Amino acid sequence: MIGKKGILRFFYKVTMVCYKKLHLWRIPIPGRDKVQADLNRMHPGENPQECVTDYYVTKLTLSAVILIAGIMLAITMHYSSRESHVLQNQWVYRGSGEEGSREYSITGQVEDGERYSFQMEVMPRKYSQSELENLYEQFGRELPQLILEKNDSPDEIRENLDLSETYEGYPFLVNWKSNSTEAVEENGQIHPGQDVPVLLRAEIQYGEFVRETTVKVTVVKRNETPQEREKSKLSELLQRAQEEDPESEKIQLPTEIEGRKISWEEDIPETGWKILAGALLLAAAVFFFQDKDLHDLVEKKKREERRSYPEILQKLTLYLEAGLTVRSAFCRVAEDYEKERKRGGRCREAYEEMLIATREIHMGVPEGAAYENFGKRTGVREYVRLSTFLTQNLKKGSSTLLQQLKEESVQAEELRIQNARKLSEEATTKLLLPMVMLLVVVMVMIMVPAFSNAGI
């Protein structure tokens, strides 16, 4: 357990003190009785209360460590994200040419006014002529949709257009001209009035590569709120700030609008709270789902004990036929296993339970009680039945014990074969998906060269 070794020893000791001082064992926990029963099966012969205490303290230690680590990480992420390396003293720093363009989320607040959020892209590989031609054709097809922003169609423009210098995924610089600046300004801001068709001319440039295209839109009448007008003006100021000195490393954000001061801050995602919530969920999952792991270990132990059952019956039958008493045969089976284990043999759960019963008998526990305890500790129906046979033989002196053990051995062997077939079927089902995936890989390896040679 954690309390005996490992770097978590300190946390284990602290948790143990809290567990005892705060009387945490008195708190009702669902499934505690089942956990105690599973622990008794997994650790036969040990103090039940100590096993339960150690189990819950271990779980609490793991959950507490996960929670503490999550809190520390959340705090670190929260404060590190607050230290913006992008927006400082009303300046936004550009990225280098190798890094390409950067996109920032910023929020502007006008003095005594509203807060407005913006996505600000601040821009720049050299392309060949053929690549530029292909990019230009694609760009020309997509441009009418790229400028729409919140609008649904070029024929119904109700919101400001995205007449930017650059567009994500394309290396071009775009210079916009409008044949009706009263309806659509060259920065994309619209002035809704009557329905007005507008022809937007885009000069597309990348180094010495220059092309022109036009986009036709129709501005329809819409009433703007004061907040919308103010946001449009702020957007225009941001655009002008970018255009003012394109060779500068940084951009001066606007500091005032209509005599009112503007404060800017960067919009940073709150990852700290997400990490904290994740740590809480993980700590709770570790605490509660560990009971399932314990139960799975108990079930695994039972399966292993069932596999040993036919062999134990055969050995008992052999010794009884050789003339040994029930007690001598039982103890002889357990002692033979103990010798084998000392020589390097593997640990086998059913024989371990027999060893415990044998030691109980040698220590003076009544033979019948030792057999009953043996069956109860395993929790397996077959061993409970075997302990019943042995106990009845002590009480009634039954002469049919040998015959009962032989019949039980035959039934147990048939059951073992059935279980083996069932496990084989389950393994086949589990291997089905990997086999299908391997088949697909083989088919691809065969078909790709075949189609390549055929020139398809």
Side-chain angles (χ1 to χ4, degrees):
M1 288 292 180
I2 288 177
K4 298 178 182 178
K5 60 181 180 179
I7 60 174
L8 300 179
R9 185 184 305 170
F10 170 76
F11 294 98
Y12 178 90
K13 292 180 178 178
V14 172
T15 308
M16 178 67 79
V17 172
C18 295
Y19 186 83
K20 293 180 177 179
K21 294 291 184 181
L22 300 178
H23 306 287
L24 297 181
W25 65 84
R26 297 181 181 177
I27 300 176
I29 300 177
R32 186 192 290 269
D33 294 338
K34 183 174 179 58
V35 166
Q36 187 165 359
D38 289 342
L39 288 172
N40 289 338
R41 293 192 181 103
M42 290 301 299
H43 305 284
E46 296 185 18
N47 189 310
Q49 189 58 45
E50 289 183 1
C51 288
V52 172
T53 299
D54 184 66
Y55 176 77
Y56 279 106
V57 170
T58 299
K59 289 208 306 178
L60 287 170
T61 301
L62 290 174
S63 299
V65 168
I66 291 172
L67 186 58
I68 292 170
I71 292 173
M72 293 176 64
L73 183 58
I75 293 173
T76 302
M77 292 294 294
H78 176 76
Y79 283 104
S80 63
S81 64
R82 290 289 117 194
E83 297 175 0
S84 172
H85 298 288
V86 174
L87 177 58
Q88 296 178 359
N89 299 325
Q90 304 286 16
W91 293 90
V92 174
Y93 285 81
R94 295 181 182 273
S96 64
E98 293 77 11
E99 295 173 343
S101 62
R102 288 180 175 179
E103 185 172 307
Y104 306 127
S105 297
I106 60 175
T107 299
Q109 182 173 12
V110 181
E111 186 179 10
D112 300 327
E114 301 287 336
R115 293 167 61 90
Y116 304 100
S117 297
F118 299 91
Q119 292 292 326
M120 184 178 181
E121 187 175 5
V122 179
M123 234 200 119
R125 165 190 148 166
K126 291 288 183 180
Y127 293 88
S128 66
Q129 188 70 19
S130 60
E131 287 178 322
L132 289 172
E133 290 290 352
N134 292 333
L135 282 171
Y136 168 71
E137 291 180 8
Q138 182 179 349
F139 185 54
R141 291 192 300 269
E142 296 183 4
L143 192 57
Q145 296 298 319
L146 292 174
I147 68 174
L148 286 181
E149 280 283 334
K150 298 179 181 179
N151 299 287
D152 297 325
S153 167
D155 298 327
E156 294 184 6
I157 303 300
R158 302 179 185 276
E159 304 286 344
N160 291 339
L161 295 171
D162 182 18
L163 302 185
S164 303
E165 285 187 344
T166 60
Y167 293 90
E168 185 177 358
Y170 295 99
F172 304 112
L173 289 174
V174 184
N175 184 26
W176 290 98
K177 298 292 182 183
S178 170
N179 71 340
S180 178
T181 54
E182 294 82 5
V184 180
E185 294 186 20
E186 294 174 356
N187 61 7
Q189 185 175 351
I190 68 170
H191 299 284
Q194 302 300 322
D195 293 357
V196 179
V198 180
L199 191 66
L200 300 173
R201 183 166 58 88
E203 182 182 274
I204 301 170
Q205 181 179 2
Y206 181 83
E208 297 179 357
F209 181 90
V210 181
R211 296 289 187 274
E212 281 193 4
T213 187
T214 57
V215 179
K216 185 178 180 180
V217 298
T218 301
V219 179
V220 296
K221 186 175 182 180
R222 183 182 68 84
N223 294 325
E224 270 190 325
T225 64
Q227 289 80 8
E228 289 174 333
R229 286 194 295 270
E230 190 171 58
K231 184 174 182 178
S232 297
K233 291 178 181 179
L234 282 174
S235 180
E236 180 182 353
L237 290 174
L238 284 174
Q239 186 65 30
R240 289 178 183 174
Q242 287 213 64
E243 296 171 352
E244 194 170 281
D245 189 2
E247 297 179 358
S248 174
E249 289 184 347
K250 51 189 179 179
I251 299 171
Q252 170 71 66
L253 298 179
T255 57
E256 64 177 18
I257 179 174
E258 297 178 352
R260 292 179 295 166
K261 293 182 180 180
I262 308 173
S263 60
W264 297 93
E265 63 183 42
E266 186 177 0
D267 295 339
I268 302 173
E270 287 288 349
T271 56
W273 292 110
K274 296 178 182 178
I275 293 175
L276 180 58
L280 285 169
L281 290 175
L282 182 58
V286 167
F287 184 83
F288 289 105
F289 284 98
Q290 199 168 350
D291 292 349
K292 182 180 181 302
D293 295 339
L294 174 63
H295 184 67
D296 291 342
L297 287 175
V298 172
E299 292 300 318
K300 181 180 178 181
K301 179 182 177 182
K302 288 182 178 179
R303 288 194 297 270
E304 185 177 341
E305 290 173 343
R306 287 191 181 98
R307 284 196 292 269
S308 302
Y309 186 61
E311 181 181 326
I312 290 175
L313 286 176
Q314 291 171 4
K315 290 182 178 180
L316 285 174
T317 303
L318 180 63
Y319 286 131
L320 290 174
E321 287 178 337
L324 271 66
T325 63
V326 173
R327 172 174 176 168
S328 298
F330 189 91
C331 295
R332 183 68 177 271
V333 172
E335 290 166 358
D336 288 347
Y337 161 74
E338 187 175 20
K339 293 177 182 178
E340 180 184 348
R341 193 184 63 181
K342 288 180 179 179
R343 290 195 298 265
R346 67 184 183 90
C347 178
R348 303 173 70 178
E349 300 294 343
Y351 287 95
E352 291 290 333
E353 298 293 349
M354 292 185 71
L355 267 178
I356 295 173
T358 299
R359 289 164 183 162
E360 286 181 346
I361 293 173
H362 292 332
M363 292 172 61
V365 176
E367 190 177 342
Y371 294 149
E372 289 180 1
N373 294 338
F374 164 69
K376 291 178 181 179
R377 279 196 309 272
T378 60
V380 179
R381 184 176 62 253
E382 288 84 347
Y383 289 98
V384 172
R385 191 160 55 244
L386 174 61
S387 67
T388 302
F389 290 156
L390 299 178
T391 304
Q392 287 178 349
N393 179 70
L394 286 175
K395 292 179 179 179
K396 301 178 181 180
S398 175
S399 60
T400 61
L401 175 62
L402 188 59
Q403 183 63 30
Q404 288 176 333
L405 292 180
K406 288 181 178 180
E407 293 175 356
E408 185 74 12
S409 177
V410 172
Q411 294 177 5
E413 186 64 27
E414 292 177 353
L415 183 61
R416 186 188 67 81
I417 295 173
Q418 291 177 6
N419 290 334
R421 289 175 180 170
K422 183 179 178 181
L423 291 174
S424 176
E425 292 172 357
E426 291 177 356
T428 303
T429 304
K430 293 177 181 178
L431 288 172
L432 183 60
L433 179 60
M435 291 172 64
V436 171
M437 295 174 66
L438 285 173
L439 177 62
V440 172
V441 172
V442 172
M443 291 178 64
V444 170
M445 293 174 63
I446 294 173
M447 295 176 66
V448 168
F451 281 111
S452 299
N453 294 333
I456 297 178

